[in-house]
Amino acid sequence: MTRIEEILQKDEFTKSELVELLKADGGDRKKIFEKAAAVKKQYVGNKVYFRGLIEFSNICAKNCYYCGIRSGNKKLTRYYVTEAEVLEAVKYAYENKYASLVIQAGERSNKKFTTTITNLLHKINELTNNEMGITLSLGEQSEETLIQWREAGARRYLLRIEASNPELYRKLHPDNKTHDYTTRLNALHLLRKTGYQVGTGVMIGLPFQTLDDLADDLLFFKEFDIDMAGMGPYIEHEDTPLYQYRHLLMSKKERFDLSLKMVALLRIMMKDINIAATTAMQTLDKMGREKAIKVGSNIIMPNLTPVKYRDSYLLYEDKPCIDEEASECKNCLEARIHISGDEIGYGEWGDSLHFKKRKK
Ligand code: 5AD
Ligand code: SF4
Ligand code: FES
């Protein structure tokens, strides 16, 4: 038995074992993927669930060094999708049995914004008979706001920790009150407290990031006992401060391979959570999402943002699905998931099994 096979016989890994696993290649890497695929099959089955994604607004109060829609990027036209447009996208999702939605936007916490979201949630639920599983991805918010949105029908929340190492986090964000690691961590705890299914994640292949950091990220997810994860490769964007460090980056292929391994290892470590096959995976590899589904992902987020806004929501370079209408992405993903050997859980919420078990 090889060293990697020996490690894989266990379900709990130490940090140094995780680093070894993250370094594995060739036949060893294949072993990791095989184990992850088997765990996925046994614990969450072969269904992939759709979360129709509405990129509600690219207006953001923050200035993260890596992100294309940071407030400091003056080259962008800022937008918000109108209520009528959101409801039209929701109607499409509902009629096509997507069962779940994600509403994502730049981070804002003023009263006008939080109330707009609350009203939108009510309208969505009215339109869809409360049948949509709604996920929010709207950044750090107060407990009061989170409760308000929860009461208006949101059930899940995605808030990536981005990097669980506070020192790395600091290098990726301005050093000020609005970009504080401890505040972000507290925001994650608030999500748990207010009853959401909690999702988090990190970017992979960031400048200054080490394999030790990534091993710690995986242990952080486990320790926090997350319900959902969304991780993907870091992809540089020309109009961001981090772009100047692009010479430090791994090749795109290496970043993709490492991301795939992170998905597989997380599946082995946290067998019954929901793991997204992210758009960033697709950006670095034409078959990126299919590969992620094969080694552990069970969630995919077809884009429902009206096409006219799409090129204003470029968090990173070469983001796919900029011109494709919702129906084109639907057909495309159906084919891709079919190729992966999975099926789509149409009409099912596909809530995190991990969350359901903890609730019992
Ligand atoms: N590359 C990859 N992912 C990025 N995000 C933001 N900028 C980038 C980038 N350059 C991710 C962050 C954020 C999510 C909405 O998009 O992790 O949480
Ligand atoms: Fe705003 Fe999120 Fe981009 Fe940071 S990563 S600048 S919070 S949209
Ligand atoms: Fe949008 Fe393939 S998912 S075109």
Side-chain angles (χ1 to χ4, degrees), residues 282 289 321 324 328-329 332-333 336:
Q282 162 94 358
R289 284 181 292 192
C321 308
E324 282 78 6
E328 293 174 78
C329 287
C332 169
L333 289 174
R336 286 168 182 274

Side-chain angles (χ1 to χ4, degrees), residues 13-286:
F13 308 125
T14 64
K15 179 170 169 183
S16 65
E17 286 167 345
L18 282 171
V19 172
E20 281 184 70
L21 291 165
L22 287 168
K23 280 185 187 155
D25 58 12
D28 281 343
R29 197 173 69 134
K30 206 163 150 232
K31 286 276 180 301
I32 299 175
F33 290 163
E34 281 167 7
K35 166 104 189 204
V39 169
K40 179 185 165 188
K41 195 165 173 207
Q42 185 183 346
Y43 288 84
V44 295
N46 66 343
K47 268 194 194 152
V48 174
Y49 301 97
F50 273 3
R51 313 287 188 230
L53 172 67
I54 302 174
E55 293 153 334
F56 176 65
S57 171
N58 66 353
I59 303 172
C60 185
K62 287 184 132 177
N63 219 356
C64 309
Y65 290 155
Y66 43 84
C67 177
I69 67 167
R70 63 200 300 274
S71 58
N73 183 3
K74 303 297 178 208
K75 288 191 188 167
L76 276 184
T77 313
R78 300 286 167 172
Y79 75 83
Y80 66 91
V81 181
T82 66
E83 185 183 290
E85 287 167 330
V86 172
L87 294 178
E88 199 180 318
V90 170
K91 192 159 164 273
Y92 177 88
Y94 187 55
E95 285 172 352
N96 286 280
K97 302 202 163 27
Y98 278 21
S100 286
L101 292 172
V102 178
I103 300 176
Q104 189 175 74
E107 187 170 318
R108 269 186 297 167
S109 50
N110 60 66
K111 186 97 186 154
K112 180 158 180 270
F113 179 75
T114 60
T115 312
T116 303
I117 297 294
T118 307
N119 293 339
L120 208 50
L121 288 168
H122 286 304
K123 290 261 164 66
I124 292 172
N125 280 322
E126 225 169 87
L127 181 71
T128 61
N129 222 356
N130 295 315
E131 285 172 26
M132 278 286 173
I134 306 176
T135 309
L136 299 179
S137 175
L138 302 168
E140 296 159 32
Q141 300 291 344
S142 69
E143 183 166 356
E144 185 194 357
T145 300
L146 292 175
I147 292 171
Q148 196 179 313
W149 290 345
R150 186 86 183 77
E151 285 172 353
R155 315 163 43 77
R156 324 180 181 111
Y157 206 107
L158 303 170
L159 183 76
R160 289 190 179 179
I161 191 74
E162 313 293 3
S164 67
N165 172 351
E167 280 160 39
L168 178 57
Y169 190 90
R170 170 59 53 239
K171 291 182 186 152
L172 306 172
H173 300 92
D175 189 4
N176 61 31
K177 243 182 32 232
T178 33
H179 300 82
D180 180 60
Y181 178 84
T182 310
T183 311
R184 194 157 188 88
L185 190 56
N186 286 341
L188 260 185
H189 283 288
L190 274 183
L191 293 173
R192 169 71 37 86
K193 184 177 169 199
T194 47
Y196 287 87
Q197 295 174 43
V198 182
T200 191
V202 293
M203 285 171 285
I204 298 155
L206 288 157
F208 321 118
Q209 188 183 47
T210 63
L211 291 185
D212 273 50
D213 287 328
L214 290 170
D216 278 331
D217 288 338
L218 291 169
L219 293 170
F220 171 88
F221 300 151
K222 180 92 188 172
E223 166 73 24
F224 196 94
D225 199 29
I226 62 171
D227 305 304
M228 323 181 283
M231 306 181 282
Y234 161 72
I235 305 167
E236 59 274 36
H237 187 299
E238 200 180 356
D239 303 316
T240 61
L242 220 54
Y243 195 67
Q244 63 187 295
Y245 298 109
R246 61 193 180 282
H247 61 281
L248 299 177
L249 297 175
M250 283 176 254
S251 72
K252 288 188 172 171
K253 177 165 189 321
E254 287 169 309
R255 270 179 269 165
F256 175 79
D257 286 348
L258 199 50
S259 303
L260 203 57
K261 239 187 284 174
M262 286 287 285
V263 166
L265 291 174
L266 184 58
R267 175 55 73 203
I268 298 171
M269 292 167 71
M270 302 191 76
K271 300 180 176 0
D272 55 359
I273 65 169
N274 279 347
I275 305 179
T278 57
T279 311
M281 301 280 290
Q282 162 94 358
T283 308
L284 294 195
D285 184 306
K286 281 201 177 69

